[in-house]
Amino acid sequence: QVQLVESGGGLVQTGGSLNLSCATSGFTLDIYGIGWFRQTPGKEREGLLCVATYGDSTYYTDSIKGRFTISRDNAKKMVFLQMNNLKAEDTAVYFCARNRAAWAPCRRGTNEFDYWGQGTQVTVSS
């Protein structure tokens, strides 16, 4: 079955870096876009960025531009989120998710994604 599993979260100091991984299985990663999202208690899930089939990335929020980048390794069935210069407001549970349609471009909105991982906690201490 389709599965996405995030890892790499943890506790880091302000200004530090983390590289989150999303391991995928049960589908052909090559033909799907993958997005990264985050959520804090009491708030809606926030879209961060997405990498489309051919590697083009789309940013959903300006606050991470210049600090976060997304990449994919189709051979390893992995998608990565490199986070640099982390801030306290980046503290959240981070999720990866599969684009609902194969070969489709990345679109805004959680309803454009059908399968989700369980999340990994990122805590940035100030």
Side-chain angles (χ1 to χ4, degrees), residues 90-117:
D90 295 319
T91 295
V93 178
Y94 284 71
F95 301 87
C96 60
R98 191 187 79 167
N99 210 3
R100 185 173 298 278
W103 299 112
C106 290
R107 294 191 176 94
R108 187 179 297 274
T110 56
N111 59 345
E112 298 290 340
F113 298 83
D114 56 359
Y115 287 91
W116 296 77

Side-chain angles (χ1 to χ4, degrees), residues 6 34 46 74 76 86-87 93 104 113:
E6 304 91 340
I34 300 291
E46 176 188 28
N74 291 334
K76 294 183 179 179
L86 283 162
K87 305 175 181 180
V93 178
F113 298 83

Side-chain angles (χ1 to χ4, degrees), residues 6-78:
E6 304 91 340
S7 62
L11 175 65
V12 63
Q13 290 187 332
T14 300
S17 298
L18 282 175
N19 189 26
L20 304 185
S21 298
C22 175
T24 71
S25 61
F27 66 99
T28 303
L29 177 61
D30 309 43
I31 63 174
Y32 284 92
I34 300 291
W36 280 97
F37 299 76
R38 67 186 178 190
Q39 190 169 23
T40 55
K43 293 189 176 182
E44 291 187 358
R45 194 162 293 187
E46 176 188 28
L48 299 177
L49 69 176
C50 174
V51 61
T53 307
Y54 293 108
D56 292 340
S57 58
T58 300
Y59 284 84
Y60 295 139
T61 180
D62 289 340
S63 67
I64 63 168
K65 287 182 178 179
R67 301 189 298 125
F68 291 13
T69 56
I70 191 171
S71 62
R72 61 193 296 156
D73 186 334
N74 291 334
K76 294 183 179 179
K77 298 183 182 293
M78 301 282 288

